[in-house]
Amino acid sequence: MRPPRVTPQPQPAARSAAWPVGLLVALCFTTLPLFLALSPGRPTLFDLWQQMGVKVTLHYDDETQAKPSSEPSDSPPESPRDFLLGGLLSPDIAEATCQSRYLSSLYRPPSPHSPSPYLVSRLRKYEALHRRCGPGTPLYDKSVRQLASAHHSMGLAECRYLVWTPPGPGADGGNHHNNLGDRVLSMASAFLYALLTRRVFLLDMPKDMAGLFCEPFPGASSWELPAAGFPVKNLTRLSRGSEHSYGNLISSKKVSNEDPAAVRAESLPAYAYLHLAHDYQLPDQRFFCDGDQTVLGKVNWLLLRSDLYFAPGLFLVPQFEDELRWMFPAADTAFHHVGRYLFHPSNKVWKVIAGYHASYMARFDDRIGIQIATPTTTLAAAGNGSPTAPGLPAAADAQFEQVTACARQENILPEVDPDAASTDYDAAATSKAVLVSAARPELAERLRSVYYEHATVTGESVTVLPQPGAAGKQPGNQKALVEMFLLSYCNVSVASGWSTAGYVGNGLAGVKPWLLPPLPRNQTAANPPCVRTTSMEPCFHAPPSYDCRAKKNGGLGAVLRYVRRCEAVDGGLKLFD
């Protein structure tokens, strides 16, 4: 006979000890994410889900918040057919309206740098903000009316704005800091700042940039500031020392930053101008101080002008540190991701880029880009801790020798045999294409003649491609944009140390270039001729000289582990990982 079945009873002591432990664990798992999500400057609960590997689909509209739904994340890594760059781009823009957005990635190898889930979620949230508050919306019209009628900021407004305006002549009256490379880098920095501060990003689009880029944000609202109806006139005349510049407001004590938390928004002006150009001085440099960011956060409209890649300076602001780490776990991918998200050549410009690529570049797997800015010698700049700047034009012979010495030293190009004539390279084992973008077209012609007239010692074929836009029929900025994108399709890069066009091409490509430093003054050779960068990030040419944390000048390169001095620009700062 089978014995009766006895069900064991739990021990009273064990049960009484287990339920408080279980309750404590449950509370930790419940409250910790909520605490982080509700803390200022911390990721939301949605972002925590994303970081834990939970794939979340969002549906945005202008009236409601994101509604997350989760499923296991099994997305493959970025592939050559990944048109949306690992989720960096929204699918809500039709390919016909911006072909480069979907096709440009096919011309480069897949990027090894995937955007973080947090960055992807922040971009989708920004796009919803732009749809809700951008030009042509009722909230934008309301904000413009408030700006026109009020002498002070209106407290916590529903929408806040950052307006980028193109750099103008410097204090010396020159216009050498107003090329397209400078503008693209400053626009990328300004957009990152808008992303960090939850502001709508708008461009005071100059006429010479009209028609260059696609609209980057989905929806009917443009990123361009409407030409008519904006109450602040003559934006192009804003400069260092303007009445509404933040530096002037601080210096004249119209705005106090002594106790930032106590500053009332109603006491602040309706807008503030941020002068972050190469000639800015200490009062304007306080933009990179934590307390001053607290004050600026209470101004509804900010107008910004810069000819600098000032994104590394944002990493110096303590209140931005956590979010920047979540956006860019590898700090040296900041421009790589922001640039690929924001800048897409218009269909008109893309036709030129795609046509050149098909005609000259497509058949080569090994493509070398050489970007030479106006050749210069080193000339120290004076005052305000400015970095050593390029000065007098260098001789064309010296510049050519520097480029070829770099190519030989780093095995970028094969040497030629001066005693052997060129042969038919159709049967060559390997072939290289060289794209030269230079202020002096004779540099490309000279390099072409070297490889046309002589055989290489390795038997490789080297083809120096025609310079894009050599016929001179393209407008200047269109030609510059075409060259920057073609350079971004090269897998090896050599560039002038101060070349912002080179920075853009390298950053979009995700390539660490060899940089050519300015030639020492009164010398015809640099030693070494080039240096390999530790990061693909652009250089912040004129970082602030004021260390907000130490409340004294100098030493910013040692403030954070991911900010270092630039290789070829004395005094500059750059991000690296």
Side-chain angles (χ1 to χ4, degrees), residues 26-62:
L27 286 173
C28 288
F29 274 97
T30 304
T31 59
L32 181 58
L34 290 175
F35 171 76
L36 291 174
L38 297 175
S39 299
R42 299 286 181 176
T44 64
L45 185 57
F46 159 67
D47 301 319
L48 291 172
W49 290 342
Q50 291 275 58
Q51 290 289 352
M52 289 188 293
V54 179
K55 184 177 179 181
V56 181
T57 303
L58 295 181
H59 303 279
Y60 292 108
D61 57 43
D62 291 341

Side-chain angles (χ1 to χ4, degrees), residues 351-363:
K351 183 177 180 180
V352 178
I353 295 172
Y356 184 96
H357 184 275
S359 298
Y360 300 109
M361 299 180 72
R363 66 188 180 94

Side-chain angles (χ1 to χ4, degrees), residues 418-478:
D419 298 323
S422 62
T423 58
D424 183 1
Y425 284 115
D426 289 343
T430 58
S431 59
K432 298 176 184 288
V434 182
L435 175 68
V436 180
S437 170
R440 288 174 170 167
E442 62 267 26
L443 294 176
E445 293 301 325
R446 191 168 172 181
L447 189 64
R448 180 179 294 109
S449 67
V450 167
Y451 286 101
Y452 180 78
E453 296 172 3
H454 301 285
T456 64
V457 297
T458 61
E460 294 174 285
S461 166
V462 175
T463 301
V464 179
L465 305 178
Q467 279 197 279
K473 296 180 180 179
Q474 297 180 50
N477 279 334
Q478 178 175 315

Side-chain angles (χ1 to χ4, degrees), residues 152-497:
H152 302 281
S153 281
M154 302 297 293
L156 294 176
E158 294 172 87
C159 305
R160 298 182 304 155
Y161 298 85
L162 176 70
V163 179
W164 176 90
T165 185
D172 56 2
N175 210 34
H176 49 282
H177 291 275
N178 198 8
N179 62 57
L180 187 63
D182 295 332
R183 293 181 182 184
V184 166
L185 294 176
S186 69
M187 288 163 62
S189 304
F191 175 69
L192 179 56
Y193 178 61
L195 205 61
L196 288 167
T197 56
R198 277 64 171 173
R199 292 180 180 272
V200 178
F201 178 62
L202 299 177
L203 299 179
D204 176 26
M205 186 70 77
K207 292 181 180 179
D208 62 355
M209 285 179 60
L212 285 185
F213 296 105
C214 298
E215 293 278 351
F217 312 129
S221 184
S222 173
W223 69 336
E224 294 188 25
L225 184 73
F230 193 66
V232 183
K233 305 301 180 184
N234 299 321
L235 294 182
T236 57
R237 295 189 179 183
L238 293 170
S239 62
R240 187 182 71 195
S242 292
E243 178 185 359
H244 276 261
S245 74
Y246 184 69
N248 183 63
L249 293 171
I250 291 294
S251 298
S252 63
K253 301 194 181 300
K254 293 180 181 178
V255 169
S256 172
N257 58 356
E258 296 297 326
D259 186 3
V263 174
R264 298 176 61 247
E266 293 77 7
S267 68
L268 297 171
Y271 73 92
Y273 165 61
L274 305 174
H275 185 77
L276 300 181
H278 65 281
D279 61 346
Y280 68 160
Q281 295 181 342
L282 178 57
D284 296 301
Q285 293 177 10
R286 292 198 64 89
F287 169 86
F288 298 103
C289 295
D290 203 54
D292 294 83
Q293 278 302 322
T294 298
V295 174
L296 288 170
K298 303 174 185 181
V299 180
N300 293 336
W301 285 86
L302 297 179
L303 315 180
L304 182 147
R305 169 171 291 150
S306 178
D307 52 16
L308 300 168
Y309 180 66
F310 63 85
L314 300 176
F315 283 73
L316 303 175
V317 182
Q319 63 185 270
F320 297 154
E321 280 187 51
D322 287 348
E323 188 155 8
L324 285 168
R325 278 199 297 267
W326 279 78
M327 285 186 184
F328 309 108
D332 63 350
T333 62
F335 180 77
H336 181 62
H337 292 317
V338 172
R340 292 191 308 158
Y341 172 79
L342 204 59
F343 302 112
H344 307 283
S346 66
N347 285 351
K348 178 181 178 180
V349 180
W350 177 248
K351 183 177 180 180
V352 178
I353 295 172
Y356 184 96
H357 184 275
S359 298
Y360 300 109
M361 299 180 72
R363 66 188 180 94
F364 295 98
D365 292 328
D366 196 358
R367 299 189 286 259
I368 300 158
I370 300 178
Q371 208 294 322
I372 310 298
T374 303
T376 57
T377 58
T378 299
L379 180 65
N384 302 315
S386 298
T388 301
L392 303 175
D397 287 348
Q399 190 72 16
F400 180 78
E401 290 300 326
Q402 184 180 17
V403 172
T404 53
C406 174
R408 288 193 305 268
Q409 173 184 289
E410 304 300 339
N411 295 318
I412 297 170
L413 290 174
E415 294 190 49
V416 297
D417 184 347
D419 298 323
S422 62
T423 58
D424 183 1
Y425 284 115
D426 289 343
T430 58
S431 59
K432 298 176 184 288
V434 182
L435 175 68
V436 180
S437 170
R440 288 174 170 167
E442 62 267 26
L443 294 176
E445 293 301 325
R446 191 168 172 181
L447 189 64
R448 180 179 294 109
S449 67
V450 167
Y451 286 101
Y452 180 78
E453 296 172 3
H454 301 285
T456 64
V457 297
T458 61
E460 294 174 285
S461 166
V462 175
T463 301
V464 179
L465 305 178
Q467 279 197 279
K473 296 180 180 179
Q474 297 180 50
N477 279 334
Q478 178 175 315
K479 178 177 180 293
L481 183 58
V482 167
E483 291 188 356
M484 284 188 281
F485 265 76
L486 292 176
L487 287 168
S488 78
Y489 303 145
C490 297
N491 48 16
V492 178
S493 175
V494 177
S496 297

Side-chain angles (χ1 to χ4, degrees), residues 80-99:
R81 306 295 297 183
D82 182 11
F83 302 118
L84 300 180
L85 306 179
L88 190 72
L89 304 181
S90 166
D92 296 334
I93 294 180
E95 181 179 342
T97 65
C98 187
Q99 296 173 357

